[in-house]
Amino acid sequence: MEGGGSSDMEFTDIETNADSLNSSVIFHVVKEVIGFVLFMHQQIPSILQDISLEFDMLHTEYKELVCYSWTEEMVLQQNEVKASFRRKHNGRMREVKHGIRRLEKLMNTISGLQTAMQLMISEIPNIQGVMLILGASPVRPLHVYELSFLHGNVIAVSAGEFSKTRAAEGLSRKAIRMLISKGAGSGSYAGPTKLFLLVKAPSSFNLPLHFLPKRDFKYSKKIVPLRLRFKCKTQDMELDAPDQPTSTGTCISLVDCPSNDLIWFQCRHVIKGIAFKTPTEE
């Protein structure tokens, strides 16, 4: 089975009433699906938004504890701080540092992956497909999720303009509900593993710091992927008007870009799940 090479019947369609799927919407849909896949397959202990909030709060608390340490030293010189209070303060600093170290690699990798996605989508706003592979390696996965996009009228956004819109929130919710209905995440917990991101783009695409070309990429035939296809109202018009220009000058649809010119690119930022205790079944 070739990664991404599939018939229309193998996709589950998710439709939006919007006239287009712009770069920002696609980015947030992919981002939310990544968070869902990590959480449902027990690669992270809670949803990604909560982990991001926890990570930020730990950094804030650590800064406050460090600042308080300077004040404490001044007070200690006056012998006004008890030893028990100092032990409690130092113990909390150790706990916070441990919490930061535990999440730091995960959060840095996720941040790098999101930056890579934004750069790619900014350059190729009519991105055709995204593949999320969970497992020890891309060619021998445990689970595969494929997202295909039929854009309609392509609307590009510049780098840095990826704010989350109501349209992005709505489409993300539809995607996650559909994944749940299809049984996504129902597999048994196998401990921490890796999440690989691959993006389908023209072979001329060049972003070597973040993506590596994987021409003729294939994964194990034993794996049945879960595929979603996102469609907008004007997706049929896109096929009838292939000569519409884009700001990047790249092909606007599969009509413009021959299928043999579209290959998979693997993101260099690989998310590794973190170990955490799960409730034991009685």
Side-chain angles (χ1 to χ4, degrees), residues 30-142:
V30 174
K31 175 184 174 182
E32 293 299 320
V33 171
I34 288 174
F36 167 81
V37 169
L38 290 171
F39 178 62
M40 292 300 290
H41 287 288
Q42 302 183 50
Q43 296 305 302
I44 53 178
S46 58
I47 62 174
L48 196 53
Q49 292 90 333
D50 288 350
I51 293 180
S52 298
L53 180 60
E54 177 187 356
F55 189 62
D56 292 340
M57 290 177 65
L58 286 171
H59 272 288
T60 300
E61 183 178 0
Y62 187 74
K63 290 179 181 178
E64 292 174 349
L65 289 169
V66 170
C67 289
Y68 188 83
S69 295
W70 287 100
T71 305
E72 180 185 353
E73 289 298 327
M74 295 175 64
V75 177
L76 278 172
Q77 294 175 4
Q78 302 174 16
N79 298 318
E80 294 181 5
V81 177
K82 295 181 179 180
S84 60
F85 184 82
R86 291 183 60 196
R87 287 195 297 269
K88 183 177 180 181
H89 176 266
N90 293 337
R92 181 55 187 165
M93 284 192 70
R94 287 192 295 270
E95 291 176 2
V96 172
K97 285 182 69 174
H98 175 74
I100 291 174
R101 286 197 301 268
R102 175 171 170 264
L103 298 176
E104 193 165 28
K105 186 174 182 179
L106 171 71
M107 299 309 299
N108 288 344
T109 304
I110 290 175
S111 177
L113 184 144
Q114 292 177 1
T115 298
M117 277 293 299
Q118 289 179 352
L119 290 172
M120 169 171 258
I121 296 175
S122 294
E123 184 169 336
I124 307 176
N126 60 316
I127 183 173
Q128 301 297 326
V130 172
M131 191 187 311
L132 305 177
I133 294 181
L134 198 70
S137 73
V139 296
R140 296 188 179 276
L142 297 172

Side-chain angles (χ1 to χ4, degrees), residues 90-251:
N90 293 337
R92 181 55 187 165
M93 284 192 70
R94 287 192 295 270
E95 291 176 2
V96 172
K97 285 182 69 174
H98 175 74
I100 291 174
R101 286 197 301 268
R102 175 171 170 264
L103 298 176
E104 193 165 28
K105 186 174 182 179
L106 171 71
M107 299 309 299
N108 288 344
T109 304
I110 290 175
S111 177
L113 184 144
Q114 292 177 1
T115 298
M117 277 293 299
Q118 289 179 352
L119 290 172
M120 169 171 258
I121 296 175
S122 294
E123 184 169 336
I124 307 176
N126 60 316
I127 183 173
Q128 301 297 326
V130 172
M131 191 187 311
L132 305 177
I133 294 181
L134 198 70
S137 73
V139 296
R140 296 188 179 276
L142 297 172
H143 304 277
V144 175
Y145 297 89
E146 293 184 30
L147 311 178
S148 176
F149 300 96
L150 299 180
H151 297 260
N153 299 317
V154 176
I155 300 177
V157 297
S158 60
E161 294 183 4
F162 284 90
S163 57
K164 194 172 186 179
T165 63
R166 184 173 297 180
E169 290 180 358
L171 201 57
S172 298
R173 284 195 297 268
K174 284 185 179 181
I176 290 174
R177 284 197 298 265
M178 184 61 71
L179 289 172
I180 293 173
S181 71
K182 294 291 183 179
S186 59
S188 60
Y189 174 66
T193 187
K194 298 176 182 178
L195 180 71
F196 301 88
L197 170 75
L198 290 91
V199 182
K200 180 167 279 189
S203 58
S204 58
F205 173 72
N206 186 29
L207 201 63
L209 292 179
H210 296 287
F211 290 93
L212 296 173
K214 295 290 180 178
R215 191 179 294 274
D216 299 325
F217 172 74
K218 296 180 181 180
Y219 51 79
S220 173
K221 295 180 180 180
K222 297 178 181 179
I223 301 300
V224 178
L226 199 161
R227 295 183 168 107
L228 300 182
R229 179 170 54 192
F230 298 87
K231 302 169 64 176
C232 55
K233 288 193 304 183
T234 57
Q235 65 97 5
D236 291 328
M237 295 172 57
E238 176 183 315
L239 299 179
D240 295 333
D243 296 328
Q244 299 177 52
T246 65
S247 60
T248 61
T250 59
C251 52

Side-chain angles (χ1 to χ4, degrees), residues 234-271:
T234 57
Q235 65 97 5
D236 291 328
M237 295 172 57
E238 176 183 315
L239 299 179
D240 295 333
D243 296 328
Q244 299 177 52
T246 65
S247 60
T248 61
T250 59
C251 52
I252 190 170
S253 69
L254 288 173
V255 173
D256 303 291
C257 194
S259 59
N260 60 2
D261 188 50
L262 292 170
I263 66 172
W264 289 105
F265 287 81
Q266 181 181 327
C267 185
R268 288 179 175 270
H269 308 281
V270 178
I271 301 174

